Amino acid sequence: MLLSAVAAFAKPTIYILATGGTIAGSGASALDSSYTSGTVTVDKLIAAVPEINKIATIKGEQISQIGSQEMNNEVWLKLATRVNELLTSGKADGVVITHGTDTMEETSYFLDLTVKSDKPIVFVGAMRNSGSLSADGPLNLFNAVNVAISKEAVGKGVLVTMNDEIHAAREVTKTNTTAVDTFKSPNSGKIGTVFYGNVKFYMNPIRKHTVNSAFDITKIKELPRVDIIYSHANDNPDFANIAIKNGAKGIISSGMGNGNPFPTVLEALGEGVKKGVVVVRDSRVGTGETTLNGEVDDAKYGFLASDNLNAQKARVLLMLALTQTTDKAKIQELFLTH
Ligand code: GLU
């Protein structure tokens, strides 16, 4: 009796913050590939996996109820602020965030850069909706809670747990439109595994995150406009020109190969730099570093390079960088350290 009372007292408190997505989606039948994201509430998500109550004191909160293609700055600021409050106040020992898979890589990196806690923050979602045959959400959620209570997850920054794998937020990306093994970290690999709740880590993320990051959500009230311009053969500068004309403070140029824009786009971006827009070259290739002064004369045009972040993650970092400075050397340094 006494032992079980002590065990109950020792259970960690994990908050599950729900934002929507397929994990909270439902379709007309178990074999229906068309469905609506974000129809199942956080209480129902938790009730579907009673096993998590044995390992943690679970509390649920609904932050939003959207498909993650609708993700926006307001939800990012609200979510990061709430996670920061829960962890720094001591109310939570860890946080699990249920999220659509489309933009999970961006939201998780945003929190990785802005939340000031080394406690576990774990993103989870599903590729099959909750009513689907062989839905992956319940086991993914069980595994995510196990990662969130793991002592080894402390200090690793924000994590994404899907399909029995654990990925670092900076590295992870969605690589397949429909497959359950869609999440990969193409530059560095997964950092751990979680098999029916058995958590194992193999690597540590070393870039600056959470407590060591240059950014702090308590100091960020709004985010500047940063656009992504995707490059292709026979391109034209219209999108670059309109982004500059319409007030983008930063542009991620998702160039060909080692971040090479089409010549007319290169010149348009160079004109943008002269008008004060911060342009970061990135690559549409998906893996590898975009190197400074490769085929593009970055010194001449005043461009920066994204290191090996993909365009959507480079956009998150540039938005945050622009809340602090427009100094290009300082922003380049942030790209080389975060
Ligand atoms: N578009 C939806 C979303 O990101 C579905 C993707 C998913 O959750 O798997 O919320």
Side-chain angles (χ1 to χ4, degrees):
M1 179 69 182
L2 186 62
L3 273 180
S4 63
V6 170
F9 181 73
K11 272 201 297 189
T13 299
I14 301 297
Y15 273 72
I16 298 182
L17 304 188
T19 66
T22 295
I23 191 167
S26 54
S29 80
L31 290 173
D32 193 349
S33 66
S34 73
Y35 65 95
T36 310
S37 273
T39 54
V40 179
T41 61
V42 66
D43 297 340
K44 288 201 175 123
L45 281 178
I46 293 168
V49 193
E51 294 82 358
I52 55 180
N53 297 301
K54 294 187 187 137
I55 55 173
T57 300
I58 301 289
K59 294 183 187 289
E61 283 185 12
Q62 197 79 46
I63 297 289
S64 64
Q65 188 64 306
I66 55 177
S68 71
Q69 65 272 39
E70 299 167 67
M71 191 49 66
N72 56 62
N73 293 353
E74 288 68 37
V75 179
W76 277 357
L77 295 172
K78 180 180 173 188
L79 178 65
T81 299
R82 185 60 182 148
V83 171
N84 199 58
E85 275 168 12
L86 287 169
L87 296 177
T88 57
S89 67
K91 282 188 192 144
D93 298 301
V95 171
V96 169
I97 297 149
T98 62
H99 196 288
T101 57
D102 290 0
T103 58
M104 190 185 285
E105 62 191 273
E106 288 151 84
T107 309
S108 58
Y109 190 43
F110 182 75
L111 266 65
D112 195 49
L113 292 171
T114 57
V115 173
K116 291 292 171 207
S117 173
D118 62 4
K119 292 179 184 171
I121 303 166
V122 185
F123 276 73
V124 67
M127 290 301 288
R128 298 179 182 140
N129 76 70
S130 66
S132 161
L133 204 62
S134 203
D136 52 335
L139 183 54
N140 282 348
L141 182 58
F142 177 70
N143 281 337
V145 172
N146 276 277
V147 174
I149 65 170
S150 161
K151 296 270 178 290
E152 275 195 86
V154 172
K156 288 193 168 55
V158 176
L159 303 170
V160 169
T161 295
M162 293 278 296
N163 196 42
D164 300 353
E165 296 187 346
I166 307 167
H167 293 264
R170 182 187 184 276
E171 308 299 331
V172 71
T173 188
K174 186 174 187 179
T175 65
N176 187 293
T177 51
T178 56
V180 291
D181 71 339
T182 181
F183 281 94
K184 306 284 177 201
S185 296
N187 283 309
S188 60
K190 61 180 178 275
I191 65 167
T193 57
V194 49
F195 188 62
Y196 291 99
N198 183 17
V199 177
K200 284 190 163 186
F201 281 99
Y202 297 94
M203 291 197 287
N204 271 323
I206 60 155
R207 287 303 181 99
K208 290 188 180 185
H209 59 70
T210 55
V211 290
N212 294 319
S213 161
F215 310 104
D216 180 343
I217 193 60
T218 64
K219 300 192 170 79
I220 299 168
K221 301 293 165 237
E222 58 184 13
L223 294 164
R225 173 172 165 175
V226 174
D227 293 349
I228 298 172
I229 308 287
Y230 193 90
S231 290
H232 55 84
N234 202 42
D235 206 353
N236 68 71
D238 289 359
F239 286 123
N241 285 332
I242 203 84
I244 294 160
K245 181 164 171 275
N246 284 1
K249 303 288 182 243
I251 291 177
I252 305 299
S253 166
S254 187
M256 297 169 270
N258 189 1
N260 296 313
F262 193 72
T264 54
V265 179
L266 187 73
E267 296 308 320
L269 293 172
E271 289 305 308
V273 173
K274 288 183 194 156
K275 292 180 179 141
V277 180
V278 176
V279 174
V280 177
R281 282 194 310 105
D282 192 269
S283 172
R284 68 178 195 176
V285 169
T287 55
E289 179 186 352
T290 299
T291 63
L292 272 171
N293 299 305
E295 286 183 81
V296 175
D297 189 344
D298 291 310
K300 175 180 142 195
Y301 286 98
F303 298 151
L304 311 180
S306 68
D307 198 327
N308 66 355
L309 290 176
N310 69 22
Q312 52 272 35
K313 287 179 197 284
R315 178 176 173 274
V316 170
L317 182 51
L318 182 54
M319 288 168 87
L320 289 169
L322 287 168
T323 65
Q324 293 188 348
T325 183
T326 52
D327 182 301
K328 292 205 276 285
K330 286 190 183 145
I331 295 175
Q332 185 62 72
E333 184 62 18
L334 289 167
F335 271 88
L336 295 174
T337 51
H338 286 71

